[in-house]
Amino acid sequence: MIGTYYDTVFTSAQDQGLPIETAADHAATAFLDGKPTGQGKRKCSGADRHAAFWSSGFLRTLPAQAWHQESLGLALARYLGQDRFASPDIVAHVAALTPEVLQQAARHAGLVLRHDSPRWREIEALADSQPGNFSEFVQVFRIFKQAHRLRVDEVEHLREPLAKLTPLDLLAYTSLYAFEHLLPDLLEGGSAPGAPDTQEVWDAIEDTLAWKLTTCDAASLRLTDTAIAASLRQHLTPFLFPSHEAPGPRHDLYAGFTALLDAQIELNAFINRSVEAFSYDDGIRFVRQGERLEIIEVDAQARAAWRSDGDKLNRLHQYWLYRGMDALMASPDLLTLVSPAHLEANLQAFAKAMGTWLRLQEVYGIAEQVRAEADSAVDVFRALLATELMTAFYIEDFLRPYHQHLQQLGHPWLALGRLAFGGLLQSDMQNRFPITWSDREAKIARITPWTATAEHPQGQARAAEAILDFWTSDWSALAERLREGDAALHPRWQERPVLKMGRHLFQLPWMMAIQNNATAAVNNLRRLGARRNEAREETRRIEARLGMLFEQRGFRVLVGHKFPAGMGDEEDAGEIDLLCALEGHLLVLELKSTYQRRSMKDAWMHRTSTLRKAGWQLHRKVPAVRHVLQHDASLRQALALPPGAEPEITAWIVDTSIEWDHQAFRGFLKISLEEIQIALRDDRRWLNDPEGLFRVTGAGDATTRTDTGAEPIDTLYPDGFSVRKFIEVVESAAVWTAAA
């Protein structure tokens, strides 16, 4: 019965001679892993498991040190993070026994902004029963609540003057803001001192657009040519083409939009840098000074590791571009497809697309074709190429001319007007407005040449249609989901940057010109598409391709190995993703494939769910491997391990994400998959920008390869490859250091 399940797990562990702390850890881990899943045909709900776990008798017998284990603390955080089940006695018990554990769990549960939760009221009550431990803690929470409420009220107040604007109206003011506040600094290769970074602005714009989609009239998303003209005539063209004979620019609405965006940036910064830092960053502590809070750093090493992970991610983008350039130069068939018009920009687009394609194949196991939401089969490389060519087009035909006009005229509206007017003067009346739009057929016709192959030199309309579906976000459908409070994942606007409203498709040239298309592609497939039918096969492909890299270095490799029945308790260990043997060493690898995260909250969730579970899996699998090797001669033979001698076993968690790199989970090191690949390929030189392509930033920087003659020797294995040296390279993070 589920009511005694966790007591049984605890008792069973103690019967094996395990200490009380370890037995409690086993029971808490089972709870965190969603066990039991059910009883008979009846599935257990989360509330069922909470009721069973928190009523377990062993919890009231645990010493204080047992509660300091991560699994017990996370179980408490799970309890405090839900509202369906109540067990106030366990809260009071832990508060009396080890208040610091309960306080950390309350932070990790995000209670700081959930003051309407009954779990918060249980914590708040402790300020009266245990004022010495919880009075100050509750005061800190109340300061956060007040500060958050002030910022939310400001955002809601500033939304009121913009309530009647349509989503297209709001896009007009968004674009004006971008050309005034974002692009000038980016085009000059820097940013204004004290200004929010580009991602902060984009996040605030996305939140503002989500508000608008949630509250707008559904009819405002079924746009006609007449409605588009009316919107732009009122909200955009007066800024670009001021006239005494027509209504002037709505400076009041633009100022209101700017104020709202500033307030949203401030709210987001408060949540990201204060609330989420308080909740999920254990490297700092918030101390109350009167009615304000000060941040004290308590673990400088942990904070440095977080920043280092971000730097590694940037260097990986460089690495894949170099890989893409190298592959492009070795592909004469592809080079023949590069248009000579804007040759440098088009070469850059092909190289970026090739680099991202290699990354999707090697790191994420993506096949040549995937299914788009419209159920069309899309050629992934062509989809990547299309978006990179769009970016190249917008850089060359929008950003470069705009930058020139801005330098000449000195004002963003005058420069935008000159850009738009120049498009109208062209023989084919090119749209050079800050927002572009077309119907579906015209967009397909535009993309079709970018699908050209040797077999289809003019491209294929069907392939272009599939690419368009892959990158399109239907705002009518998205608005409906947002209004209904659908908790499903929604595309960020950079992930699907073709915006569908009615029969028209809109793009923002300024956004397409500067966004990271590689991240958009990865998250389009791995975040939004995590439940695609192909996702399971992609995981298998990741394992197989990594196994091939090990085989090329001489390892004997088993992929997805399952223990034979009847070999003892090892059946409970499950499947081994990769076993790699060489020179008397055996690597046991647990692979995890996810997406690229942006927030500390998301990273913390990854750490305490996927990576925590991976550590537990290796904790069970490694002893099982040892046991099987002692009794199964066929496994030793398959791995070419000599009989009698026990191999040296090294076990790692290998993850496609960079977060929590080189940290231990249950004693097992977590390594990024890309680091393992680079160590096996011995090409870390491309992490270190050998040709200086990233030393100067700005729109349209050249990234075509220059002839530098013989490449300098930068090898991780100066005395030749060996498994012992490979393990040393990985565990010392030598991949990330430049050659001496």
Side-chain angles (χ1 to χ4, degrees):
M1 295 177 60
I2 186 174
T4 59
Y5 176 84
Y6 301 106
D7 276 320
T8 301
V9 172
F10 176 80
T11 302
S12 176
Q14 283 204 306
D15 289 344
Q16 297 173 39
L18 297 175
I20 188 172
E21 293 89 350
T22 306
D25 177 43
H26 280 220
T29 298
F31 168 71
L32 293 171
D33 289 345
K35 297 177 182 178
T37 57
Q39 185 175 358
K41 294 183 178 180
R42 181 180 179 273
K43 290 187 176 181
C44 293
S45 68
D48 291 335
R49 280 188 287 271
H50 274 288
F53 183 74
W54 297 112
S55 63
S56 299
F58 77 87
L59 289 175
R60 278 73 178 172
T61 68
L62 296 178
Q65 62 265 28
W67 286 99
H68 282 271
Q69 297 176 107
E70 182 185 46
S71 57
L72 271 296
L74 291 176
L76 274 173
R78 289 268 184 97
Y79 167 74
L80 295 172
Q82 55 81 48
D83 294 337
R84 292 178 296 171
F85 172 78
S87 181
D89 66 304
I90 197 67
V91 171
H93 175 76
V94 178
L97 189 66
T98 175
E100 65 274 16
V101 169
L102 183 63
Q103 290 177 8
Q104 184 180 58
R107 291 195 298 108
H108 289 166
L111 277 181
V112 69
L113 292 186
R114 293 177 51 238
H115 288 252
D116 57 343
S117 168
R119 303 291 81 76
W120 163 245
R121 289 192 286 275
E122 292 171 9
I123 298 293
E124 196 173 30
L126 296 171
D128 296 325
S129 62
Q130 297 189 40
N133 290 326
F134 284 91
S135 179
E136 184 69 16
F137 186 67
V138 167
Q139 280 292 98
V140 169
F141 271 57
R142 288 172 177 166
I143 291 174
F144 269 108
K145 178 185 178 180
Q146 182 180 13
H148 181 249
R149 187 70 258 170
L150 286 172
R151 288 162 174 81
V152 169
D153 288 345
E154 179 70 3
V155 168
E156 291 177 348
H157 170 70
L158 291 171
R159 284 173 174 174
E160 292 176 5
L162 309 178
K164 294 182 179 180
L165 294 181
T166 69
L168 180 57
D169 300 339
L170 207 61
L171 283 180
Y173 291 110
T174 297
S175 298
L176 289 170
Y177 180 95
F179 276 93
E180 180 179 16
H181 295 283
L182 290 180
L183 293 184
D185 289 330
L186 287 173
L187 291 167
E188 296 296 337
S191 60
D197 66 31
T198 302
Q199 190 61 58
E200 288 180 320
V201 176
W202 285 26
D203 289 344
I205 291 172
E206 186 169 5
D207 291 334
T208 303
L209 291 172
W211 157 71
K212 179 54 63 178
L213 290 177
T214 305
T215 58
C216 71
D217 186 335
S220 67
L221 294 166
R222 296 191 291 269
L223 290 174
T224 63
D225 289 331
T226 301
I228 294 171
S231 172
L232 299 184
R233 187 164 52 245
Q234 180 178 4
H235 299 289
L236 183 61
T237 55
F239 288 89
L240 275 56
F241 309 119
S243 170
H244 296 297
E245 301 174 359
R250 291 297 304 268
H251 290 293
D252 58 327
L253 291 176
Y254 179 61
F257 172 80
T258 301
L260 172 59
L261 208 60
D262 289 343
Q264 187 68 58
I265 291 170
E266 169 62 25
L267 172 60
N268 290 354
F270 173 74
I271 292 173
N272 295 335
R273 298 176 188 173
S274 297
V275 173
E276 291 196 355
F278 174 78
S279 300
Y280 306 109
D281 186 351
D282 293 329
I284 60 173
R285 185 161 55 90
F286 283 74
V287 177
R288 185 170 68 91
Q289 300 290 345
E291 293 303 312
R292 62 185 179 85
L293 300 175
E294 289 187 0
I295 296 176
I296 297 176
E297 188 173 72
V298 295
D299 190 342
Q301 187 174 358
R303 305 204 84 200
W306 174 261
R307 291 188 294 269
S308 174
D309 288 347
D311 176 64
K312 288 177 182 178
L313 189 59
N314 291 333
R315 292 173 67 191
L316 285 171
H317 286 308
Q318 300 176 18
Y319 171 85
W320 289 107
L321 179 56
Y322 275 104
R323 287 280 308 274
M325 290 189 297
D326 201 60
L328 177 62
M329 294 305 160
S331 305
D333 290 345
L334 268 183
L335 286 171
T336 62
L337 299 176
V338 180
S339 171
H342 301 312
L343 178 62
E344 188 176 277
N346 285 322
L347 278 171
Q348 174 183 351
F350 270 77
K352 285 185 174 181
M354 179 59 76
T356 304
W357 171 227
L358 290 172
R359 189 178 201 179
L360 288 174
Q361 282 184 300
E362 296 180 17
V363 181
Y364 298 98
I366 303 298
E368 291 185 5
Q369 290 192 336
V370 298
R371 310 297 297 187
E373 282 188 2
D375 203 35
S376 54
V378 60
D379 182 305
V380 176
F381 173 70
R382 297 293 162 179
L384 298 171
L385 180 59
T387 194
E388 293 294 357
L389 288 171
M390 289 179 195
T391 292
F393 167 72
Y394 287 129
I395 287 174
E396 295 301 322
D397 285 52
F398 281 75
L399 260 62
R400 285 193 187 279
Y402 169 75
H403 190 204
Q404 293 170 358
H405 298 326
L406 184 63
Q407 290 177 320
Q408 294 171 3
L409 302 173
H411 194 281
W413 310 154
L414 294 176
L416 270 179
R418 179 73 62 84
L419 177 66
F421 190 67
L424 296 174
L425 290 179
Q426 295 184 35
S427 58
D428 52 353
M429 295 283 288
Q430 292 289 318
N431 183 336
R432 294 294 180 267
F433 282 78
I435 303 172
T436 64
W437 66 96
S438 63
D439 60 27
R440 182 176 174 83
E441 289 70 25
K443 196 69 178 175
I444 290 171
R446 173 79 184 182
I447 295 174
T448 297
W450 297 343
T451 67
T453 63
E455 296 80 12
H456 302 279
Q458 304 304 315
Q460 295 177 283
R462 180 172 294 182
E465 186 176 9
I467 289 169
L468 191 57
D469 290 339
F470 182 79
W471 292 113
T472 295
S473 175
D474 185 336
W475 270 20
S476 292
L478 177 58
E480 184 177 354
R481 293 199 299 270
L482 290 171
R483 283 193 291 269
E484 293 174 353
D486 185 353
L489 289 173
H490 305 304
R492 300 187 178 108
W493 62 330
Q494 303 102 313
E495 291 169 351
R496 293 189 182 166
V498 179
L499 314 175
K500 182 178 184 292
M501 289 186 276
R503 64 182 182 85
H504 292 87
L505 302 171
F506 293 80
Q507 284 185 276
L508 305 173
W510 56 271
M511 184 183 78
M512 286 296 302
I514 61 178
Q515 79 164 18
N516 187 318
N517 292 322
T519 298
V522 169
N523 285 351
N524 195 335
L525 290 162
R526 298 302 304 176
R527 190 181 77 88
L528 297 174
R531 295 183 180 178
R532 290 175 297 111
N533 292 333
E534 300 105 327
R536 182 178 294 273
E537 181 58 32
E538 287 165 4
T539 300
R540 293 294 187 195
R541 214 175 283 127
I542 295 168
E543 296 169 0
R545 286 175 174 162
L546 182 58
M548 289 175 59
L549 272 181
F550 275 102
E551 287 175 344
Q552 290 168 12
R553 282 295 188 180
F555 286 83
R556 294 291 289 269
V557 176
L558 293 179
V559 179
H561 179 73
K562 295 180 180 178
F563 293 119
M567 292 300 296
D569 294 337
E570 68 275 0
E571 289 181 83
D572 298 332
E575 183 179 284
I576 309 293
D577 293 334
L578 276 179
L579 290 170
C580 308
L582 180 66
E583 299 167 0
H585 289 259
L586 179 62
L587 300 178
V588 181
L589 306 183
E590 180 72 22
L591 267 65
K592 298 298 176 185
S593 176
T594 53
Y595 61 92
Q596 296 180 12
R597 292 162 186 79
R598 296 192 302 173
S599 72
M600 183 167 288
K601 178 181 179 180
D602 287 346
W604 184 86
M605 294 293 291
H606 182 54
R607 176 185 178 277
T608 57
S609 55
T610 303
L611 297 179
R612 176 197 59 79
K613 189 171 183 178
W616 177 254
Q617 288 169 322
L618 284 178
H619 177 73
R620 290 184 293 114
K621 290 179 180 182
V622 170
V625 169
R626 292 188 192 279
H627 177 76
V628 175
L629 286 173
Q630 292 172 0
H631 298 87
D632 186 356
S634 63
L635 179 60
R636 298 182 71 92
Q637 185 176 6
L639 292 169
L641 292 170
E646 184 172 334
E648 292 187 42
I649 295 180
T650 301
W652 295 325
I653 302 165
V654 180
D655 184 25
T656 56
S657 68
I658 200 72
E659 293 90 5
W660 313 109
D661 205 29
H662 281 266
Q663 297 198 26
F665 296 82
R666 293 270 173 178
F668 299 103
L669 206 60
K670 179 268 177 191
I671 311 291
S672 74
L673 175 59
E674 286 160 290
E675 178 175 349
I676 297 288
Q677 291 172 329
I678 293 167
L680 288 169
R681 290 173 53 87
D682 195 16
D683 58 0
R684 70 169 172 181
R685 64 188 181 281
W686 282 333
L687 277 172
N688 299 314
D689 195 12
E691 295 175 11
L693 303 182
F694 295 89
R695 292 173 194 163
V696 179
T697 58
D701 280 351
T703 58
T704 52
R705 189 164 193 174
T706 57
D707 183 6
T708 57
E711 293 180 348
I713 296 175
D714 179 10
T715 178
L716 294 161
Y717 313 105
D719 299 320
F721 182 89
S722 70
V723 64
R724 190 176 298 278
K725 181 60 178 177
F726 170 72
I727 293 171
E728 178 188 325
V729 160
V730 170
E731 296 192 339
S732 67
V735 158
W736 302 104
T737 61

